[in-house]
Each structure stands twice: as C-alpha cells, then as structure tokens.
Amino acid sequence: MLFNTHCATCHGRTGDLGMNGAKDLVTSTIPRDEAIAVITSGRAGMMAYGTMLSKKEIAAVTDHVLTLRTKSAR
Ligand code: HEC
C-alpha cells in the first residue's frame, strides 16, 4: 500500500508518529485539496511526491490520509 511504503517512515502507519517533524495526520484539519497540494509539491521537511506518484496515486493516498482522521474521531 502506497501510504505504508512512502509515508509511514515519517508519519507512521496510523499517521501520528511525527518522525522528522512530520505533522500528525490524525489531528490534521487541512482540507483535501490542501493535503493534495502538500503531497504533490512538498512543504518544509516533506518532499514533493508530484514526480514520484501519479495524480491518481496521490488522490488515493490522500483518501487514505483522510481515513486516518476519521478513525481518531470515532
Ligand atoms: C521525510 C518525512 C516525510 C515523509 C516520507 C512524508 N511526510 Fe508528510 N510531512 C512531513 C513533514 C515534516 C510535514 C510538515 C511540513 C511543515 O511543517 O510544513 C508533513 C506534512 C504533511 C501533510 C500536511 C498536514 C497538515 O495538517 O498540514 C500531509 C497531508 C502529509 N504530510 C502527507 C504525507 C503523505 C501522504 C506522504 C506520503 C506520500 C508523506 N506525507 C510523506 C514529513 C514527511
């Protein structure tokens, strides 16, 4: 799965690892389009995935990131 391969090193599989200054994705509140922008273009300590992943893959990984939030809200 894309998230576990590319993102979990910093964010952790549950999104709240916070390695290398990574934002906690469980408590993150930015809207979906902003999350896509961060993932595509990078921001501060996070690299850009726009050249590594297709638009479709970025959309899929973003949907996964949003499910990490829902779990914590339950
Ligand atoms: C090298 C470590 C690292 C990896 C790998 C990484 N990130 Fe990040 N991520 C960060 C850091 C650091 C930030 C905070 C950037 C800042 O302070 O502006 C961040 C921020 C984010 C944010 C913004 C959250 C918010 O509320 O502002 C999202 C969404 C995100 N990452 C998703 C992902 C996804 C999806 C992947 C995999 C495709 C990924 N990250 C891979 C380090 C990483």
Side-chain angles (χ1 to χ4, degrees), residues 2-11 18-25 27-32 34-40 42-49 52-53 57-58 61-62 64-66 69:
L2 285 172
F3 185 85
N4 291 344
T5 308
H6 294 282
C7 323
T9 28
C10 295
H11 290 285
M19 196 66 101
N20 303 314
K23 287 258 184 192
D24 185 339
L25 299 177
T27 58
S28 168
T29 54
I30 59 170
R32 188 176 192 275
E34 266 178 50
I36 286 182
V38 172
I39 297 161
T40 305
R43 206 181 70 198
M46 179 161 156
M47 62 285 225
Y49 284 90
M52 264 185 274
L53 302 176
E57 288 172 324
I58 288 178
V61 93
T62 305
H64 180 74
V65 162
L66 297 179
R69 295 181 191 182

